[in-house]
């Protein structure tokens, strides 16, 4: 940006640097200063898509709320007049950030607005990864089979992939449809790259994806080590929301191992931080932890109540992938409390 001959070019590059810093290379502490400098260099371009993407990432990782971040991104995406090339890359990054905002909101209505913008973007510059993420991560219970086939091809090709963004986002797409084992070696490469000064944000997400895989594959001794390093980086680089999957997994492990105090404290912390910011997903995380803890203590009525706040018997909720991990626990809690029709449904 310092070599730019005009204020507009300088402002654009500073905004793109802020976007990369927030979503990939990993230092939210510098995003505010970069955006301020972009505004000084080019006041007219301060509402650019790159600036909005960086600002939204900073918002949802600090004191901002989902609705503000969603409004900011939707406005910028709709007003974006791309010219191809780098502009398409920034649009894709904005849509991926918007996808994560929708996911953390836990609200189906936000997805409908997102889908309309993705359809427009795909007409201009198709991106299979974005489509796969939308399906297998956004709403895996209703994903068409051909999208799963695309994901399987992407997972199979990860050994050749060098871009940490595509590795991590492929693994994110794999998480709720039980394909994370095929991503392990690629995710470890992303972690090693982060340790060597590479893409920090991607490395943090890789830590928690590996921890997710460790929990569901029974490698419980590995989970505390993976989440501890990831959470330490989150604190160091100011990634509050990015840290919550790590905290959730630690709470889930505590519940499974009978550490009710840690499980309760973790669930309470998730709700206390998430509720004022409209992060409905964190309530689902907390319900999962509390229900598992209650099942372990044979308190089936409490487990039922926690899960019933998420599950509607006989219906698979749209845009709530986490529900797929709760159905069997709900069936057990319902059956053991005499609600056999609900368990069967």
């Amino acid at each position: 940006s310092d070599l730019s001959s005009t204020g507009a070019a300088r402002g654009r590059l500073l905004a793109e640097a802020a976007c990369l810093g927030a979503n990939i290379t990993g230092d939210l502490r510098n995003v505010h200063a970069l955006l301020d400098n972009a505004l000084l260099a080019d006041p007219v371009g301060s509402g650019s898509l790159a600036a909005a993407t960086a600002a939204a990432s900073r918002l949802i990782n600090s004191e901002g709320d989902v609705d503000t971040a969603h409004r900011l991104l939707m406005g910028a995406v709709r007003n974006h007049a791309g010219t191809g090339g780098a502009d398409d890359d920034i649009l894709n990054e904005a849509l991926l950030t918007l996808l994560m905002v929708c996911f953390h909101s836990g609200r189906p209505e936000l997805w409908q607005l997102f889908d309309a913008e993705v359809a427009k973007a795909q007409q201009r510059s198709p991106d299979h990864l974005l489509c796969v993420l939308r399906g297998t991560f956004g709403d895996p219970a209703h994903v068409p089979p051909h999208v799963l086939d695309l994901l399987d091809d992407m997972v199979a090709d990860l050994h050749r992939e060098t871009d940490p963004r595509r590795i991590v986002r492929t693994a994110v797409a794999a998480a709720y449809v039980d394909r994370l084992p095929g991503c392990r070696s690629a995710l470890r490469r992303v972690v090693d790259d982060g340790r060597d000064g590479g893409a920090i944000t991607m490395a943090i997400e890789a830590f928690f994806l590996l921890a997710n895989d460790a929990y569901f594959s029974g490698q419980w001794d590995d989970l505390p080590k993976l989440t501890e390093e990831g959470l330490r980086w989150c604190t160091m680089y100011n990634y509050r929301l990015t840290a919550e999957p790590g905290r959730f997994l630690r709470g889930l492990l505590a519940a499974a191992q009978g550490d009710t105090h840690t499980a309760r404290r973790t669930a309470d912390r998730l709700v206390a931080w998430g509720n004022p910011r409209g992060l409905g997903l964190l309530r689902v995380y907390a319900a999962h932890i509390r229900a598992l803890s209650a099942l372990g203590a044979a308190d089936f009525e409490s487990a039922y109540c926690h899960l019933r706040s998420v599950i509607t018997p006989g219906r698979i909720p749209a845009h709530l992938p986490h529900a797929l991990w709760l159905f069997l626990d709900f069936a057990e809690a319902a059956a053991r409390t005499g609600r056999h029709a609900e368990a069967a449904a």
Side-chain angles (χ1 to χ4, degrees), residues 58-180:
R58 184 172 174 273
L59 265 175
I60 60 174
N61 273 286
S62 56
E63 299 307 313
D65 63 278
V66 159
D67 286 322
T68 303
H70 186 268
R71 226 173 12 249
L72 179 65
L73 278 169
M74 282 299 301
V77 167
R78 285 170 172 164
N79 293 329
H80 179 66
T83 57
D87 272 355
D88 285 342
D89 290 341
I90 291 296
L91 176 59
N92 204 46
E93 200 61 42
L95 289 170
L96 287 164
T97 304
L98 186 57
L99 182 147
M100 297 308 294
V101 169
C102 293
F103 170 73
H104 283 99
S105 76
R107 289 158 50 194
E109 64 269 20
L110 298 191
W111 285 100
Q112 295 166 8
L113 299 170
F114 170 80
D115 286 341
E117 297 307 320
V118 168
K120 292 180 201 171
Q122 291 294 99
Q123 288 176 358
R124 188 173 71 193
S125 177
D127 185 325
H128 290 318
L129 178 54
L130 181 59
C131 286
V132 169
L133 266 167
R134 168 62 187 86
T136 63
F137 184 66
D139 195 10
H142 303 97
V143 68
H146 78 272
V147 176
L148 292 171
D149 293 338
L150 278 173
L151 175 60
D152 286 334
D153 291 342
M154 290 176 180
V155 171
D157 286 342
L158 282 181
H159 66 284
R160 288 194 289 262
E161 184 59 68
T162 58
D163 186 339
R165 295 173 301 176
R166 296 194 71 82
I167 291 172
V168 167
R169 287 161 181 169
T170 300
V172 168
Y176 281 114
V177 289
D178 299 329
R179 286 157 168 82
L180 271 180

Side-chain angles (χ1 to χ4, degrees), residues 283-284 286-288 303-312 320 330:
R283 289 196 298 274
V284 178
H288 191 171
Y304 170 83
C305 291
H306 291 309
L307 292 169
R308 189 65 176 83
S309 69
V310 180
I311 299 293
T312 299
L320 190 61
F330 176 81

Side-chain angles (χ1 to χ4, degrees), residues 251 254-256 258-261 263-264 288-299 303:
D259 183 356
T260 55
H261 174 71
R264 187 184 309 114
H288 191 171
I289 293 168
R290 289 166 173 161
L292 187 61
S293 187
L295 285 172
D299 183 357

Side-chain angles (χ1 to χ4, degrees), residues 17 29 40 42 50 84 98 188 215 225 238 271 307-308 318 320:
R29 296 171 300 185
L40 288 172
D42 181 23
L98 186 57
R188 291 190 189 108
Y215 178 82
K225 293 177 286 186
N238 287 1
V271 171
L307 292 169
R308 189 65 176 83
L320 190 61

Side-chain angles (χ1 to χ4, degrees), residues 180-196:
L180 271 180
C183 307
R184 288 172 186 164
S185 60
L187 288 171
R188 291 190 189 108
R189 282 192 278 122
V190 175
V191 166
D192 290 340
D193 177 61
R195 286 171 174 156
D196 291 337

Side-chain angles (χ1 to χ4, degrees), residues 14 62 70 95 105 129 196 207 215 220 223-224 232 250 269 277 281 286 308 310 315 335 337:
L14 285 167
S62 56
H70 186 268
L95 289 170
S105 76
L129 178 54
D196 291 337
F207 271 123
Y215 178 82
W220 287 4
L223 191 151
R232 187 168 66 247
R250 290 175 79 93
R269 184 177 181 179
R277 295 163 179 82
L281 178 69
R308 189 65 176 83
V310 180
R315 184 170 69 84
T337 55

